[in-house]
PDB file of all heavy atoms in Angstrom:
ATOM      1  N   VAL K   2     -64.574 -29.191 141.250  1.00  0.00           N
ATOM      2  CA  VAL K   2     -64.806 -30.235 140.238  1.00  0.00           C
ATOM      3  C   VAL K   2     -66.170 -30.885 140.468  1.00  0.00           C
ATOM      4  O   VAL K   2     -66.921 -31.126 139.516  1.00  0.00           O
ATOM      5  CB  VAL K   2     -63.669 -31.286 140.241  1.00  0.00           C
ATOM      6  CG1 VAL K   2     -64.040 -32.487 139.385  1.00  0.00           C
ATOM      7  CG2 VAL K   2     -62.368 -30.654 139.747  1.00  0.00           C
ATOM      8  N   ILE K   3     -66.518 -31.140 141.713  1.00  0.00           N
ATOM      9  CA  ILE K   3     -67.823 -31.740 142.032  1.00  0.00           C
ATOM     10  C   ILE K   3     -68.950 -30.792 141.604  1.00  0.00           C
ATOM     11  O   ILE K   3     -69.954 -31.224 141.025  1.00  0.00           O
ATOM     12  CB  ILE K   3     -67.917 -32.092 143.532  1.00  0.00           C
ATOM     13  CG1 ILE K   3     -66.991 -33.277 143.837  1.00  0.00           C
ATOM     14  CG2 ILE K   3     -69.351 -32.410 143.934  1.00  0.00           C
ATOM     15  CD1 ILE K   3     -66.771 -33.549 145.306  1.00  0.00           C
ATOM     16  N   GLN K   4     -68.794 -29.499 141.837  1.00  0.00           N
ATOM     17  CA  GLN K   4     -69.810 -28.534 141.420  1.00  0.00           C
ATOM     18  C   GLN K   4     -69.962 -28.508 139.899  1.00  0.00           C
ATOM     19  O   GLN K   4     -71.080 -28.460 139.377  1.00  0.00           O
ATOM     20  CB  GLN K   4     -69.460 -27.137 141.930  1.00  0.00           C
ATOM     21  CG  GLN K   4     -69.714 -26.966 143.404  1.00  0.00           C
ATOM     22  CD  GLN K   4     -69.300 -25.590 143.910  1.00  0.00           C
ATOM     23  OE1 GLN K   4     -68.748 -24.783 143.155  1.00  0.00           O
ATOM     24  NE2 GLN K   4     -69.583 -25.320 145.177  1.00  0.00           N
ATOM     25  N   MET K   5     -68.834 -28.538 139.199  1.00  0.00           N
ATOM     26  CA  MET K   5     -68.901 -28.570 137.731  1.00  0.00           C
ATOM     27  C   MET K   5     -69.609 -29.826 137.243  1.00  0.00           C
ATOM     28  O   MET K   5     -70.433 -29.772 136.334  1.00  0.00           O
ATOM     29  CB  MET K   5     -67.494 -28.508 137.139  1.00  0.00           C
ATOM     30  CG  MET K   5     -67.025 -27.124 136.890  1.00  0.00           C
ATOM     31  SD  MET K   5     -65.510 -27.175 135.959  1.00  0.00           S
ATOM     32  CE  MET K   5     -64.436 -26.511 137.189  1.00  0.00           C
ATOM     33  N   ALA K   6     -69.271 -30.958 137.855  1.00  0.00           N
ATOM     34  CA  ALA K   6     -69.912 -32.215 137.470  1.00  0.00           C
ATOM     35  C   ALA K   6     -71.424 -32.119 137.672  1.00  0.00           C
ATOM     36  O   ALA K   6     -72.203 -32.541 136.812  1.00  0.00           O
ATOM     37  CB  ALA K   6     -69.327 -33.373 138.269  1.00  0.00           C
ATOM     38  N   ASN K   7     -71.843 -31.539 138.772  1.00  0.00           N
ATOM     39  CA  ASN K   7     -73.271 -31.392 139.045  1.00  0.00           C
ATOM     40  C   ASN K   7     -73.956 -30.500 138.014  1.00  0.00           C
ATOM     41  O   ASN K   7     -75.072 -30.792 137.579  1.00  0.00           O
ATOM     42  CB  ASN K   7     -73.503 -30.828 140.452  1.00  0.00           C
ATOM     43  CG  ASN K   7     -73.188 -31.855 141.525  1.00  0.00           C
ATOM     44  OD1 ASN K   7     -73.228 -33.060 141.277  1.00  0.00           O
ATOM     45  ND2 ASN K   7     -72.855 -31.377 142.710  1.00  0.00           N
ATOM     46  N   ILE K   8     -73.306 -29.415 137.616  1.00  0.00           N
ATOM     47  CA  ILE K   8     -73.879 -28.515 136.614  1.00  0.00           C
ATOM     48  C   ILE K   8     -74.129 -29.249 135.299  1.00  0.00           C
ATOM     49  O   ILE K   8     -75.143 -29.047 134.639  1.00  0.00           O
ATOM     50  CB  ILE K   8     -72.957 -27.291 136.395  1.00  0.00           C
ATOM     51  CG1 ILE K   8     -72.993 -26.393 137.627  1.00  0.00           C
ATOM     52  CG2 ILE K   8     -73.355 -26.519 135.142  1.00  0.00           C
ATOM     53  CD1 ILE K   8     -71.920 -25.321 137.646  1.00  0.00           C
ATOM     54  N   PHE K   9     -73.212 -30.140 134.930  1.00  0.00           N
ATOM     55  CA  PHE K   9     -73.321 -30.886 133.680  1.00  0.00           C
ATOM     56  C   PHE K   9     -74.090 -32.207 133.840  1.00  0.00           C
ATOM     57  O   PHE K   9     -74.150 -33.012 132.924  1.00  0.00           O
ATOM     58  CB  PHE K   9     -71.924 -31.180 133.110  1.00  0.00           C
ATOM     59  CG  PHE K   9     -71.298 -29.993 132.439  1.00  0.00           C
ATOM     60  CD1 PHE K   9     -70.582 -29.054 133.167  1.00  0.00           C
ATOM     61  CD2 PHE K   9     -71.441 -29.803 131.071  1.00  0.00           C
ATOM     62  CE1 PHE K   9     -70.006 -27.954 132.545  1.00  0.00           C
ATOM     63  CE2 PHE K   9     -70.873 -28.713 130.444  1.00  0.00           C
ATOM     64  CZ  PHE K   9     -70.153 -27.775 131.187  1.00  0.00           C
ATOM     65  N   ARG K  10     -74.645 -32.427 135.014  1.00  0.00           N
ATOM     66  CA  ARG K  10     -75.344 -33.679 135.346  1.00  0.00           C
ATOM     67  C   ARG K  10     -74.444 -34.894 135.145  1.00  0.00           C
ATOM     68  O   ARG K  10     -74.889 -35.963 134.709  1.00  0.00           O
ATOM     69  CB  ARG K  10     -76.627 -33.814 134.541  1.00  0.00           C
ATOM     70  CG  ARG K  10     -77.648 -32.781 134.911  1.00  0.00           C
ATOM     71  CD  ARG K  10     -78.993 -33.105 134.273  1.00  0.00           C
ATOM     72  NE  ARG K  10     -79.966 -32.093 134.651  1.00  0.00           N
ATOM     73  CZ  ARG K  10     -80.549 -31.276 133.787  1.00  0.00           C
ATOM     74  NH1 ARG K  10     -80.275 -31.357 132.506  1.00  0.00           N
ATOM     75  NH2 ARG K  10     -81.424 -30.399 134.206  1.00  0.00           N
ATOM     76  N   ALA K  11     -73.178 -34.707 135.432  1.00  0.00           N
ATOM     77  CA  ALA K  11     -72.213 -35.807 135.395  1.00  0.00           C
ATOM     78  C   ALA K  11     -72.154 -36.417 136.791  1.00  0.00           C
ATOM     79  O   ALA K  11     -72.678 -35.857 137.752  1.00  0.00           O
ATOM     80  CB  ALA K  11     -70.843 -35.278 134.979  1.00  0.00           C
ATOM     81  N   LYS K  12     -71.515 -37.548 136.912  1.00  0.00           N
ATOM     82  CA  LYS K  12     -71.404 -38.257 138.193  1.00  0.00           C
ATOM     83  C   LYS K  12     -69.941 -38.380 138.592  1.00  0.00           C
ATOM     84  O   LYS K  12     -69.076 -38.617 137.747  1.00  0.00           O
ATOM     85  CB  LYS K  12     -71.997 -39.669 138.082  1.00  0.00           C
ATOM     86  CG  LYS K  12     -73.441 -39.712 137.660  1.00  0.00           C
ATOM     87  CD  LYS K  12     -74.344 -39.307 138.781  1.00  0.00           C
ATOM     88  CE  LYS K  12     -75.788 -39.440 138.335  1.00  0.00           C
ATOM     89  NZ  LYS K  12     -76.677 -38.600 139.053  1.00  0.00           N
ATOM     90  N   ILE K  13     -69.695 -38.254 139.865  1.00  0.00           N
ATOM     91  CA  ILE K  13     -68.375 -38.542 140.411  1.00  0.00           C
ATOM     92  C   ILE K  13     -68.366 -40.051 140.682  1.00  0.00           C
ATOM     93  O   ILE K  13     -69.147 -40.560 141.489  1.00  0.00           O
ATOM     94  CB  ILE K  13     -68.100 -37.756 141.717  1.00  0.00           C
ATOM     95  CG1 ILE K  13     -68.237 -36.249 141.478  1.00  0.00           C
ATOM     96  CG2 ILE K  13     -66.733 -38.124 142.270  1.00  0.00           C
ATOM     97  CD1 ILE K  13     -67.280 -35.679 140.462  1.00  0.00           C
ATOM     98  N   LEU K  14     -67.501 -40.769 139.975  1.00  0.00           N
ATOM     99  CA  LEU K  14     -67.488 -42.227 140.049  1.00  0.00           C
ATOM    100  C   LEU K  14     -66.398 -42.767 140.960  1.00  0.00           C
ATOM    101  O   LEU K  14     -66.485 -43.900 141.433  1.00  0.00           O
ATOM    102  CB  LEU K  14     -67.329 -42.814 138.645  1.00  0.00           C
ATOM    103  CG  LEU K  14     -68.416 -42.409 137.651  1.00  0.00           C
ATOM    104  CD1 LEU K  14     -68.098 -42.947 136.274  1.00  0.00           C
ATOM    105  CD2 LEU K  14     -69.776 -42.893 138.116  1.00  0.00           C
ATOM    106  N   ASP K  15     -65.355 -41.963 141.189  1.00  0.00           N
ATOM    107  CA  ASP K  15     -64.265 -42.411 142.045  1.00  0.00           C
ATOM    108  C   ASP K  15     -63.598 -41.193 142.677  1.00  0.00           C
ATOM    109  O   ASP K  15     -63.439 -40.158 142.017  1.00  0.00           O
ATOM    110  CB  ASP K  15     -63.233 -43.207 141.242  1.00  0.00           C
ATOM    111  CG  ASP K  15     -62.146 -43.807 142.125  1.00  0.00           C
ATOM    112  OD1 ASP K  15     -62.496 -44.567 143.060  1.00  0.00           O
ATOM    113  OD2 ASP K  15     -60.972 -43.489 141.899  1.00  0.00           O
ATOM    114  N   VAL K  16     -63.224 -41.338 143.938  1.00  0.00           N
ATOM    115  CA  VAL K  16     -62.552 -40.267 144.665  1.00  0.00           C
ATOM    116  C   VAL K  16     -61.324 -40.847 145.335  1.00  0.00           C
ATOM    117  O   VAL K  16     -61.382 -41.900 145.964  1.00  0.00           O
ATOM    118  CB  VAL K  16     -63.483 -39.669 145.756  1.00  0.00           C
ATOM    119  CG1 VAL K  16     -62.773 -38.577 146.544  1.00  0.00           C
ATOM    120  CG2 VAL K  16     -64.771 -39.153 145.155  1.00  0.00           C
ATOM    121  N   SER K  17     -60.198 -40.162 145.161  1.00  0.00           N
ATOM    122  CA  SER K  17     -59.001 -40.502 145.930  1.00  0.00           C
ATOM    123  C   SER K  17     -58.488 -39.213 146.550  1.00  0.00           C
ATOM    124  O   SER K  17     -59.067 -38.145 146.378  1.00  0.00           O
ATOM    125  CB  SER K  17     -57.934 -41.144 145.030  1.00  0.00           C
ATOM    126  OG  SER K  17     -57.337 -40.178 144.202  1.00  0.00           O
ATOM    127  N   ARG K  18     -57.393 -39.296 147.270  1.00  0.00           N
ATOM    128  CA  ARG K  18     -56.852 -38.120 147.930  1.00  0.00           C
ATOM    129  C   ARG K  18     -56.517 -36.984 146.964  1.00  0.00           C
ATOM    130  O   ARG K  18     -56.719 -35.815 147.280  1.00  0.00           O
ATOM    131  CB  ARG K  18     -55.593 -38.508 148.700  1.00  0.00           C
ATOM    132  CG  ARG K  18     -55.581 -37.965 150.076  1.00  0.00           C
ATOM    133  CD  ARG K  18     -54.384 -38.474 150.844  1.00  0.00           C
ATOM    134  NE  ARG K  18     -54.726 -39.376 151.901  1.00  0.00           N
ATOM    135  CZ  ARG K  18     -55.353 -39.011 153.004  1.00  0.00           C
ATOM    136  NH1 ARG K  18     -55.744 -37.782 153.161  1.00  0.00           N
ATOM    137  NH2 ARG K  18     -55.601 -39.873 153.940  1.00  0.00           N
ATOM    138  N   ASP K  19     -56.047 -37.322 145.779  1.00  0.00           N
ATOM    139  CA  ASP K  19     -55.652 -36.259 144.854  1.00  0.00           C
ATOM    140  C   ASP K  19     -56.236 -36.381 143.450  1.00  0.00           C
ATOM    141  O   ASP K  19     -55.798 -35.699 142.534  1.00  0.00           O
ATOM    142  CB  ASP K  19     -54.125 -36.127 144.788  1.00  0.00           C
ATOM    143  CG  ASP K  19     -53.404 -37.452 144.763  1.00  0.00           C
ATOM    144  OD1 ASP K  19     -54.058 -38.488 144.845  1.00  0.00           O
ATOM    145  OD2 ASP K  19     -52.180 -37.419 144.655  1.00  0.00           O
ATOM    146  N   THR K  20     -57.265 -37.231 143.245  1.00  0.00           N
ATOM    147  CA  THR K  20     -57.939 -37.311 141.940  1.00  0.00           C
ATOM    148  C   THR K  20     -59.437 -37.535 142.123  1.00  0.00           C
ATOM    149  O   THR K  20     -59.885 -38.053 143.144  1.00  0.00           O
ATOM    150  CB  THR K  20     -57.403 -38.470 141.056  1.00  0.00           C
ATOM    151  OG1 THR K  20     -57.724 -39.710 141.665  1.00  0.00           O
ATOM    152  CG2 THR K  20     -55.910 -38.343 140.818  1.00  0.00           C
ATOM    153  N   LEU K  21     -60.174 -37.152 141.097  1.00  0.00           N
ATOM    154  CA  LEU K  21     -61.597 -37.462 140.975  1.00  0.00           C
ATOM    155  C   LEU K  21     -61.814 -38.042 139.582  1.00  0.00           C
ATOM    156  O   LEU K  21     -61.194 -37.591 138.623  1.00  0.00           O
ATOM    157  CB  LEU K  21     -62.459 -36.209 141.111  1.00  0.00           C
ATOM    158  CG  LEU K  21     -62.548 -35.542 142.479  1.00  0.00           C
ATOM    159  CD1 LEU K  21     -63.273 -34.215 142.358  1.00  0.00           C
ATOM    160  CD2 LEU K  21     -63.274 -36.436 143.458  1.00  0.00           C
ATOM    161  N   THR K  22     -62.679 -39.024 139.487  1.00  0.00           N
ATOM    162  CA  THR K  22     -63.058 -39.544 138.175  1.00  0.00           C
ATOM    163  C   THR K  22     -64.515 -39.192 137.939  1.00  0.00           C
ATOM    164  O   THR K  22     -65.386 -39.538 138.732  1.00  0.00           O
ATOM    165  CB  THR K  22     -62.834 -41.061 138.071  1.00  0.00           C
ATOM    166  OG1 THR K  22     -61.459 -41.341 138.323  1.00  0.00           O
ATOM    167  CG2 THR K  22     -63.202 -41.575 136.695  1.00  0.00           C
ATOM    168  N   VAL K  23     -64.739 -38.469 136.843  1.00  0.00           N
ATOM    169  CA  VAL K  23     -66.061 -37.979 136.488  1.00  0.00           C
ATOM    170  C   VAL K  23     -66.581 -38.807 135.321  1.00  0.00           C
ATOM    171  O   VAL K  23     -65.859 -39.052 134.351  1.00  0.00           O
ATOM    172  CB  VAL K  23     -65.982 -36.486 136.072  1.00  0.00           C
ATOM    173  CG1 VAL K  23     -67.347 -35.958 135.679  1.00  0.00           C
ATOM    174  CG2 VAL K  23     -65.371 -35.645 137.178  1.00  0.00           C
ATOM    175  N   GLY K  24     -67.840 -39.237 135.394  1.00  0.00           N
ATOM    176  CA  GLY K  24     -68.498 -39.923 134.287  1.00  0.00           C
ATOM    177  C   GLY K  24     -69.569 -39.018 133.714  1.00  0.00           C
ATOM    178  O   GLY K  24     -70.391 -38.481 134.460  1.00  0.00           O
ATOM    179  N   ILE K  25     -69.564 -38.819 132.403  1.00  0.00           N
ATOM    180  CA  ILE K  25     -70.557 -37.960 131.768  1.00  0.00           C
ATOM    181  C   ILE K  25     -71.144 -38.666 130.550  1.00  0.00           C
ATOM    182  O   ILE K  25     -70.427 -39.277 129.760  1.00  0.00           O
ATOM    183  CB  ILE K  25     -69.972 -36.576 131.376  1.00  0.00           C
ATOM    184  CG1 ILE K  25     -71.062 -35.675 130.789  1.00  0.00           C
ATOM    185  CG2 ILE K  25     -68.778 -36.713 130.466  1.00  0.00           C
ATOM    186  CD1 ILE K  25     -70.671 -34.222 130.663  1.00  0.00           C
ATOM    187  N   PHE K  26     -72.464 -38.591 130.440  1.00  0.00           N
ATOM    188  CA  PHE K  26     -73.186 -39.169 129.322  1.00  0.00           C
ATOM    189  C   PHE K  26     -73.925 -38.049 128.620  1.00  0.00           C
ATOM    190  O   PHE K  26     -74.652 -37.291 129.253  1.00  0.00           O
ATOM    191  CB  PHE K  26     -74.185 -40.217 129.834  1.00  0.00           C
ATOM    192  CG  PHE K  26     -74.995 -40.856 128.746  1.00  0.00           C
ATOM    193  CD1 PHE K  26     -74.445 -41.836 127.948  1.00  0.00           C
ATOM    194  CD2 PHE K  26     -76.304 -40.471 128.516  1.00  0.00           C
ATOM    195  CE1 PHE K  26     -75.186 -42.431 126.939  1.00  0.00           C
ATOM    196  CE2 PHE K  26     -77.058 -41.055 127.520  1.00  0.00           C
ATOM    197  CZ  PHE K  26     -76.490 -42.042 126.726  1.00  0.00           C
ATOM    198  N   GLY K  27     -73.707 -37.915 127.311  1.00  0.00           N
ATOM    199  CA  GLY K  27     -74.402 -36.864 126.583  1.00  0.00           C
ATOM    200  C   GLY K  27     -73.837 -36.683 125.196  1.00  0.00           C
ATOM    201  O   GLY K  27     -73.041 -37.490 124.719  1.00  0.00           O
ATOM    202  N   GLY K  28     -74.225 -35.595 124.583  1.00  0.00           N
ATOM    203  CA  GLY K  28     -73.731 -35.266 123.250  1.00  0.00           C
ATOM    204  C   GLY K  28     -72.283 -34.816 123.289  1.00  0.00           C
ATOM    205  O   GLY K  28     -71.746 -34.487 124.349  1.00  0.00           O
TER     206      GLY K  28
END
């Protein structure tokens, strides 16, 4: 998930043991 976020220039905004919250700005 972190690699995908990086490819899309998204940011990982929150990390827990079993979830990630991704923030993406774009079209």
Side-chain angles (χ1 to χ4, degrees):
V2 169
I3 290 168
Q4 285 177 356
M5 270 189 246
N7 288 336
I8 290 168
F9 283 86
R10 293 190 180 116
K12 302 285 183 205
I13 303 299
L14 302 175
D15 185 57
V16 178
S17 74
R18 227 175 249 290
D19 41 357
T20 66
L21 290 172
T22 302
V23 179
I25 183 167
F26 179 78

